[in-house]
Amino acid sequence: MQFDLPNVRGKYEFNVPLKSLSFLNVGGSCDIKFSPRDEEDLIHFIKNKDPNLPVTVLGSMSNTLILDGGIRGCVIDLTKHLNEIEFLKNSARVSSGAKLSHFINKSVDNGLSSCEKLWGIPGTIGGAVCMNAGIPEFEISDVLLSVGCIDRNGDYVVIDKKGLNMSYRNGNIQDGFIVTKALLKTFAADVNELKSTISIMNKKRLQTQPIGANTCGSTFKNPMGYRAWELIKKSGCDRLSVGGAAVSDIHCNFLVNTGEATADDFVRLISLIKNKVQQSTGVILEEEVKIIGEN
């Protein structure tokens, strides 16, 4: 299906393979990929696009499984240009395409505490907000003040954190809203203490996660009162594989591409694990990884 695209200052690309951009190294192509030059360019696009054109926003795809049939319509890539970081008094205004790790490094360089406990979590600020990224003792919502979004009509709106009602691994952003900025609290801190926190987090991840493998992080959310990896191990799923997709031997809530996996391999492995865990424990696992696209 052909769509008339508005004139923009950013860049359109067509029939773009997404596999090489995916952390899992799987998935099909998108029809159109749009990299807006700035927030105003994105607003112009949303206001003037064909109303029937499907739009999908992708960050760095660190927790996204794109299906083998790819994504129809237009994928919006905010990582090319919407990646500014501005430090204010007791806060930082961060564009959603900025990498979380880059924001942490810049904060530490300025002697500021904010998200350093999330060191090692890949992805962008926008993605971190949309999924309320976190570890057991800290979530990005703990330092979030507000988000700037473009709504379905192309209007810019600011939403206070209280208005989001964020929860575990859920930023509760409305469907069709595109997060373009996050205002995050910052606190003056000792640089050496911040670097020590990062070193501890980095060492822990290297010991407990398959760093360097083609993986998209935690596959399942922790059900209330349980840990997903314990349920997976207890159900005998810790050595399962389907095609080129396999449960990591370092952390069984991580799935890895052993070399030639397809997205369908991961989908079938996820389904197999969910079924076995439910049969064994009665607990229904919910995916943390976002699965999008067509088969």
Side-chain angles (χ1 to χ4, degrees):
M1 185 177 295
Q2 296 294 318
F3 294 96
D4 290 329
L5 298 172
N7 291 325
V8 293
R9 289 178 290 110
K11 182 179 180 181
Y12 290 122
E13 299 172 80
F14 301 92
N15 299 316
V16 179
L18 298 173
K19 177 178 178 179
S20 62
L21 304 177
S22 163
F23 271 51
L24 283 172
N25 196 34
V26 298
S29 300
C30 64
D31 296 331
I32 307 163
K33 182 166 168 281
F34 171 46
S35 301
R37 177 63 60 179
D38 49 35
E39 206 167 52
E40 290 73 24
D41 198 28
L42 178 57
I43 288 172
H44 173 78
F45 170 82
I46 296 297
K47 283 184 176 294
N48 294 280
K49 73 175 183 64
D50 187 320
N52 295 314
L53 175 66
V55 169
T56 303
V57 179
L58 289 181
S60 60
M61 293 187 276
S62 59
N63 74 323
T64 304
L65 170 57
I66 298 171
L67 298 177
D68 294 316
I71 301 175
R72 303 286 67 78
C74 182
V75 163
I76 296 178
D77 179 6
L78 302 180
T79 64
K80 301 294 184 185
H81 303 293
L82 277 77
N83 48 28
E84 299 88 356
I85 298 172
E86 180 185 7
F87 290 101
L88 309 170
K89 185 178 181 180
N90 302 321
S91 65
R93 184 180 292 117
V94 189
S95 294
S96 59
K99 290 186 180 296
L100 176 60
S101 59
H102 184 54
F103 170 62
I104 293 171
N105 285 333
K106 293 276 286 184
S107 298
V108 171
D109 289 343
N110 284 276
L112 296 171
S113 170
S114 185
C115 296
E116 65 277 358
K117 290 182 180 179
L118 302 183
W119 174 259
I121 295 179
T124 62
I125 288 291
V129 169
C130 287
M131 71 169 292
N132 193 17
I135 56 176
E137 65 270 20
F138 181 86
E139 297 174 326
I140 198 167
S141 59
D142 293 331
V143 293
L144 183 69
L145 293 169
S146 65
V147 294
C149 301
I150 298 172
D151 69 14
R152 303 174 189 86
N153 299 317
D155 296 322
Y156 185 79
V157 295
V158 176
I159 307 172
D160 185 85
K161 185 184 77 170
K162 292 180 180 179
L164 291 175
N165 193 28
M166 300 170 80
S167 58
Y168 171 67
R169 298 302 173 269
N170 182 9
N172 203 27
I173 305 298
Q174 287 189 50
D175 289 343
F177 279 45
I178 301 174
V179 174
T180 59
K181 284 189 178 74
L183 187 64
L184 301 165
K185 287 188 285 189
T186 60
F187 311 89
D190 181 80
V191 172
N192 290 327
E193 290 183 5
L194 294 172
K195 290 182 176 180
S196 176
T197 297
I198 288 175
S199 178
I200 291 169
M201 300 304 299
N202 190 49
K203 183 178 180 180
K204 181 179 180 181
R205 290 184 180 279
L206 287 172
Q207 292 174 339
T208 61
Q209 298 179 9
I211 305 300
N214 288 122
T215 182
C216 58
S218 296
T219 308
F220 301 102
K221 299 178 182 179
N222 289 322
M224 184 69 70
Y226 299 93
R227 294 185 179 184
W229 74 266
E230 291 178 339
L231 295 170
I232 293 168
K233 189 175 182 67
K234 180 179 180 180
S235 304
C237 300
D238 53 323
R239 296 187 181 277
L240 288 180
S241 64
V242 173
V247 176
S248 167
D249 58 3
I250 298 175
H251 193 311
C252 59
N253 195 23
F254 283 62
L255 305 184
V256 299
N257 185 341
T258 61
E260 299 296 330
T262 64
D264 186 61
D265 290 340
F266 282 102
V267 170
R268 289 189 291 138
L269 180 55
I270 287 170
S271 179
L272 180 60
I273 292 170
K274 290 179 69 173
N275 289 336
K276 288 179 71 69
V277 167
Q278 184 177 5
Q279 291 171 5
S280 176
T281 68
V283 178
I284 300 175
L285 291 176
E286 179 184 353
E287 292 92 328
E288 181 170 319
V289 60
K290 185 178 180 182
I291 303 174
I292 60 175
E294 297 185 351
N295 291 314

